[in-house]
Amino acid sequence: MKRILVLGAGGQIGTELVPHLQNLYGSDNVIAADLKPEVVEKLGRTSRAVMLNALDIESYAKLLKNERIDSIYNLVALLSATGEKNPQLAWNLNMGALLNSLNLAKDFNCAVFTPSSIGAFGENTPHYKTPQDTVVRPNTIYGVCKVSGELLSDYYHTRFGVDARSVRFPGIISNGALPGGGTTDYAVEVFYEVIKHGRYTCEVPKDTYMDMLYMPDALEATTQLMEADPAKLVHRNSFNVTSMSFTPEQLFTEIKKRIPSFTWDYNVDPVKAQISASWPDCLDDSCAREEWGWNPKWGMDQMIDDMLAACKKKVEKNAQ
Ligand code: SER
């Protein structure tokens, strides 16, 4: 029986991972934890929700014990663009939550999932079909945390037997909660802006390729990896996963085919330009495919159609 804790449950991934886990393992077995009271209140409408600061190890331990948790999904993170505004906070939060999760997982015998990211790569990484095992020398604090987190998670696995597993998420496109402070956020924001205002100003340069995943595939990757037969895992922290790669200009051109009145321009943010240029153009995710059967279902065209329909519905509902 799985007893699951989702940390940082109110964010872009958590908002959709909690119902996904509830469907798989039963609502009573999933606890959604977040730091902010208003977020916990909202989560509480559809799930068992608690307020928890992942840096407060005593409260965190108490919760694991009282709820007999055996699987931790640690989603606590400051993303790449926000991290550059406050590197110290990004380090303290991203690494603090992970270190506490790994130490407590060791004590309470829990499995741990922590997302890594394309942010783990840097300028010296091969950008085309970026291999699973390659140079990881990022130049953002977010990336430094991700690489450190991958190493730390593998260390806790080999040294203490903690069942730590992870994927390197690319940009995740979704229509639940908005992402916050990432370099790939443009690929979500544009859908809301096109529906609301018919236009969008993009902060990422027009010709920068980045990998993306649609949320249903991101959720599938998460639970599929956590269910995978450990004997088949050559890697653990962390697997490349992707399902599409495009530039802002390519995405906007495809949206315009569906909404001909859509217009856009660019006001490039130098930080986002530098970060996005340092990340891969497209990943090679063959290890994930071979070791645990990763097989994404959503391509760019279906994703765009689905996003436009879902965002339209959401914007119309909010306007009522
Ligand atoms: N979506 C993240 C970011 O842009 C990358 O993992 O920061």
Side-chain angles (χ1 to χ4, degrees), residues 79-81 117-119 142 169-172 181-185 279:
L79 294 187
S80 58
S117 160
I118 49 170
Y142 176 71
F169 275 136
I172 298 178
T183 304
T184 54
D185 293 7
W279 287 355

Side-chain angles (χ1 to χ4, degrees), residues 299-315:
M300 187 177 180
D301 275 329
Q302 303 149 281
M303 176 278 290
I304 293 173
D305 291 338
D306 203 61
M307 276 299 282
L308 285 172
C311 293
K312 187 161 183 273
K313 222 161 147 187
K314 216 169 146 186
V315 169

